[in-house]
Amino acid sequence: MRERLHRIRDAFAADSGVAAQDALAAHVSGVLEALQPECLGLYWPLRSEFNAASACLADRECESIGLALPYARKSLCEMHYRAWDRSPPTLRDECGIPACAGLRVVPDVVLVPCLGYTRSGYRLGYGGGYYDRWLAAHPHVTAVGIAWAATEITDEQLMPEAHDHPMIMVITEHGAITP
């Protein structure tokens, strides 16, 4: 299912381009304005993921929000967030994803990339379980999924398990979906 969703997401991002990016950025901005985070956990985009980091940097509403990027460690199979000063990442974490050298922080709101998602708020990621473990350790954090609408799947297709943590909402280029 992951490979199929990668193909769908890659094709969607290639075909939809700037209009879908702009629409999703506007919806994310509106949600962030309502949530008013003190520290926002972002992610550095891979492949055809929505570039939430770039969208936030371009959004004047984000100027007063502290930002953080995840840092994953394969050796410990864990992830934490580091304060991000908004400059281009100079490091790569143990998974090879761009990261920053800031102090460890716990954001109050995190934007979580979704390879696939369900209307009940569950997400399919890349299969490492990094976000699931982090969210389990930080149940007070508001988790918001970010996805392209074309990658919606059903709960029956995903078959959520006990370790899966639903997001409070998933935002697509069509708007917010709340379970």
Side-chain angles (χ1 to χ4, degrees):
M1 182 181 324
R2 283 185 176 90
E3 191 50 44
R4 182 177 67 82
L5 287 170
H6 269 296
R7 285 192 306 274
I8 290 169
R9 189 176 73 186
D10 291 347
F12 174 82
D15 292 343
S16 300
V18 175
Q21 289 274 347
D22 289 348
L24 185 45
H27 292 301
V28 169
S29 180
V31 167
L32 293 178
E33 185 176 337
L35 292 176
Q36 297 185 350
E38 290 182 28
C39 181
L40 175 64
L42 296 167
Y43 58 89
W44 203 258
L46 299 176
R47 285 180 73 163
S48 51
E49 288 176 341
F50 171 70
N51 192 336
S54 178
C56 193
L57 291 177
D59 186 348
R60 294 178 60 92
E61 296 295 324
C62 285
E63 289 176 0
S64 62
I65 299 172
L67 301 178
L69 290 175
Y71 188 92
R73 298 189 63 195
K74 278 186 175 180
S75 58
L76 299 175
C77 205
E78 68 93 22
M79 181 182 86
H80 61 268
Y81 281 87
R82 294 179 174 184
W84 181 38
D85 66 3
R86 294 170 162 77
S87 52
T90 57
L91 301 175
R92 291 196 177 264
D93 65 16
E94 292 180 13
C95 295
I97 300 168
C100 61
L103 298 175
R104 284 178 79 141
V105 296
V106 176
D108 53 316
V109 175
V110 294
L111 300 182
V112 182
C114 303
L115 179 56
Y117 71 95
T118 70
R119 289 205 163 255
S120 56
Y122 288 99
R123 67 179 280 276
L124 181 67
Y126 291 155
Y130 291 97
Y131 281 99
D132 287 326
R133 283 188 294 280
W134 191 87
L135 291 170
H138 302 88
H140 62 285
V141 171
T142 301
V144 177
I146 304 293
W148 297 118
T151 63
E152 180 180 343
I153 55 178
T154 66
D155 282 335
E156 292 75 27
Q157 289 172 301
L158 179 61
M159 295 185 297
E161 297 179 34
H163 66 269
D164 291 319
H165 294 273
M167 311 293 105
I168 65 152
M169 73 178 69
V170 175
I171 307 172
T172 75
E173 71 280 10
H174 298 305
I177 300 164
T178 54

